[in-house]
Amino acid sequence: MLRLTRRSTLAALVALASAAASAVAVMPGTARAADPVKLEIGYIPILAASPLFIVDGQGWAKEAGIQLKLTRFESGPHAIQAMAAGQIDLLYAGVAPVLVARTKGADISVIANSAVEEMVVAARGPFAKAIGANPTAESFKKFAADTGRKPKIGTQPPGSVPDTVLKHWLFKVVKVDPADVELVPMGIEKTQQALLAGALDAATIREPTVTVTQQMDPNVALLATGAQMFPDQPGTVVAARAEVLKKNPDAIKALVKAHIRAVDMIAKDPAASATLVNNYLGKGLMEPATLEAAFKGPGSKFVADPHSVVPAVEKMMAFTKEIGSASETIPVAEAFDFSFYDAVAK
């Protein structure tokens, strides 16, 4: 006669549960929910990263089986360093740091575009009045002579898009003598604060900083638009590590498709887009109406197609070498992987 003890009963139940689990695993027609693909995406706190915030806020990534973790950076070069070290998988940031990283051997590719012609040069105070609506090399020199100091212009670190396009505007377009201006590299938020506090005479800024600074000080003047600084100025792109692209091609395609959808939403419904983006960019300190105004501002031009920016990117890469931000150039085609965008754009 079989005697059941408490220990033997528990063992039998464990065995039955294990057998049941095995049966489910092999039972025809039975599917087990796949674990979500986890992707960590870095971003710069600028309006051009809005498609990422919309994708996350609308739950489109989750619907595609992707679990996102968003990580904030203050500049593109810092973010690229983290990506090259494998700390993040994808990145919404300026194209210039991606190109520079590629020349140094980083296996990173642009898979989609986000925005173009983002940067503007804003000035305030005596410098804005002295320079006027049509800046010239002579007006820079005269300001330095009249005040006994060089005008201070804030920008991001060398190799970033703001730094690159500012130098292009100053030295190629306006033809300012480098001896007549002082460039001050700093983070995005510090740039805005320093400009409003009077610690800077001018700065390269992007939306929503352009709208915010003009709302806080109506005397802030735009010295140059993105198109004037660098025609067809390439700006924020979506970049990814090659290892991530190879490991999760379907997830990347789904993410790019959602990115395109978000860019379309911004064009069709800036009010709803602003409400979503405010949860990420405004941190409750900015009204959605401010972001909506930023979406309609001179520094807001969203374009998802990476093919469209290639000619301007080639010019920017040549200029980064000229100013010493990059030691060499590489064929732009090597820095772009169009396959993911092409697979879902149709």
Side-chain angles (χ1 to χ4, degrees), residues 68-80:
L68 297 183
K69 179 183 178 183
L70 276 52
T71 301
R72 176 186 175 114
F73 292 89
E74 277 300 306
S75 72
H78 293 154
I80 282 293

Side-chain angles (χ1 to χ4, degrees), residues 185-211:
M186 58 179 64
I188 290 174
E189 292 184 346
K190 289 182 179 179
T191 300
Q192 175 182 320
Q193 295 165 2
L195 180 63
L196 290 171
L200 295 172
D201 298 298
T204 51
I205 55 176
R206 290 177 276 202
E207 292 289 7
T209 302
V210 178
T211 298

